[in-house]
Amino acid sequence: MGPTNIALVQLYQADMALRAAQGRLEAATKNVRIQERRVRDLEQKHSGQLQALKEQQTQAAQLELDIKTRDARIERLRGQQQAAKNNKEYQAFLIEINTEKVDRSKAEEQALKIMEQVERGLVEVKELATHMEGEKVKSQTMKDQMGDTVAALQAEIDGLRPARDAAAAAVSPKALMAFERLADRFEGEAMSALSKPDRRREEYVCTACMMDLVTDVYNKLHARDELIFCPSCHRILYIPDELPPEAAVNKKKPPREKPAGDVPAATTRRQESAADVLKSMTPDEPEDGEKSEQGHG
Ligand SMILES: [Zn+2]
């Protein structure tokens, strides 16, 4: 492969190693994070309850004030009623007093209802606060216990990052951009190795999506320095170490005039196998032939 693809494969490997270490840290701290979220949810619920309680208390205070105001008005009307000059005036004050009394009892009823709500709310808030404190302690205990593991995993990540950064620096900006985009999309799996499923056939597949690839993909990757994307999954294709040209390129059709070295070995092998076949057939053939000839004769 060309330098660009070699640098990309190095980046890919360093990136995957870093991602794997990050994944281990995430897996190890998963329960702690779940616990932290539980605490956050409880805190949110608690502050919501406090807020509701505050509003109810404000409402209750307003109703108390309303009742007091009406009491004072009723008192004043009673005084005016006592000083009424005639029965008609007296009756008018009476109606006004009764109206105030009806409104006052309505307000009182409402205030009682809200005070009940406030009392219930206070108990609930207290219970929730206790529960929340318990979960907070649990969360801290988990974090304390995880401390060493997290530190070790974090150290591993910190140790892998420079190699990843160096590998990224060795890739051209354009190729790096393509790589990063694909890595984001495929959780790091930006590249895909070629594979040759059948040793005897010069056919290649993308190992990520198992899509068949055109035959010259190997030669292109081997000989040129350009990015080749899988037409199906769009990952950047590369030649893995286990697929060197001697394993990848078909030798079925021996070139007409190839320099010595390669051809004789293949020829010998073929001759050997041909001889084996002959050997295995020779003992039977003459007998069969004789028999059949005898039969005919
Ligand atoms: Zn693919």
Side-chain angles (χ1 to χ4, degrees):
M1 286 193 294
T4 304
N5 280 316
I6 288 171
L8 273 174
V9 170
Q10 272 164 1
L11 170 60
Y12 179 51
Q13 282 159 354
D15 189 66
M16 286 302 259
L18 179 61
R19 279 173 189 266
Q22 285 167 334
R24 282 193 288 277
L25 178 62
E26 256 173 59
T29 56
K30 195 181 168 199
N31 287 339
V32 174
R33 278 180 291 122
I34 289 171
Q35 184 62 22
E36 279 177 339
R37 199 170 60 204
R38 188 174 294 149
V39 169
R40 270 202 307 280
D41 288 348
L42 284 172
E43 280 173 339
Q44 222 167 17
K45 197 174 168 189
H46 183 249
S47 79
Q49 280 191 353
L50 278 180
Q51 183 64 29
L53 198 59
K54 218 170 140 187
E55 278 162 22
Q56 284 168 347
Q57 282 169 329
T58 307
Q59 229 179 325
Q62 273 169 353
L63 286 166
E64 289 294 328
L65 189 68
D66 186 49
I67 290 165
K68 270 183 194 158
T69 312
R70 289 187 197 282
D71 279 343
R73 202 176 296 155
I74 290 166
E75 207 54 42
R76 200 175 60 240
L77 286 168
R78 273 188 183 141
Q80 288 171 320
Q81 190 189 32
Q82 293 307 315
K85 286 169 196 131
N86 51 49
N87 192 40
K88 198 183 165 193
E89 226 180 77
Y90 185 90
Q91 289 301 325
F93 281 123
L94 188 63
I95 289 168
E96 232 180 306
I97 289 167
N98 285 341
T99 309
E100 279 297 333
K101 276 185 176 171
V102 169
D103 288 345
R104 187 201 183 276
S105 73
K106 271 186 201 162
E108 203 170 35
E109 215 174 290
Q110 218 182 335
L112 271 173
K113 219 185 267 177
I114 287 173
M115 285 314 290
E116 272 170 27
Q117 280 176 2
V118 167
E119 266 170 48
R120 271 203 307 273
L122 279 169
V123 173
E124 275 174 25
V125 163
K126 207 178 157 189
E127 277 172 3
L128 189 62
T130 310
H131 180 46
M132 190 173 70
E133 284 313 312
E135 294 296 326
K136 269 186 188 173
V137 169
K138 210 155 120 190
S139 175
Q140 192 54 50
T141 310
M142 283 168 89
K143 269 192 249 179
D144 292 346
Q145 284 170 349
M146 283 293 302
D148 292 345
T149 313
V150 169
L153 288 168
Q154 188 59 53
E156 196 191 350
I157 291 170
D158 295 344
L160 287 166
R161 205 182 295 278
R164 197 266 180 210
D165 290 346
V171 175
S172 73
K174 201 178 151 192
L176 186 61
M177 213 162 80
F179 177 89
E180 301 278 20
R181 205 186 57 229
L182 289 165
D184 280 350
R185 190 161 141 199
F186 295 117
E187 290 174 356
E189 209 191 315
M191 300 185 77
S192 171
L194 293 189
S195 113
K196 194 180 173 193
D198 186 339
R199 223 189 275 175
R200 288 158 302 170
R201 287 166 182 264
E202 204 166 331
E203 286 169 1
Y204 304 96
V205 297
C206 164
T207 49
C209 70
M210 300 318 285
M211 174 80 170
D212 290 330
L213 301 165
V214 288
T215 309
D216 71 342
V217 67
Y218 188 94
N219 285 329
K220 267 191 187 168
L221 272 175
H222 186 62
R224 298 185 203 169
D225 188 38
E226 59 188 52
L227 300 190
I228 298 178
F229 299 90
C230 168
S232 174
C233 70
H234 307 294
R235 288 177 176 85
I236 303 167
L237 294 168
Y238 71 96
I239 299 172
D241 289 341
E242 62 269 23
L243 202 60
E246 15 335 341
V249 179
N250 233 343
K251 287 178 199 160
K252 225 176 182 179
K253 39 168 191 175
R256 288 139 254 156
E257 49 218 60
K258 238 211 165 165
D262 223 87
V263 182
T267 316
T268 316
R269 229 176 284 134
R270 199 166 294 128
Q271 280 172 341
E272 270 172 13
S273 60
D276 286 347
V277 172
L278 271 176
K279 237 183 269 167
S280 69
M281 286 173 74
T282 330
D284 289 349
E285 243 176 8
E287 280 172 39
D288 282 358
E290 276 164 33
K291 270 176 198 163
S292 65
E293 264 174 39
Q294 279 169 357
H296 274 296

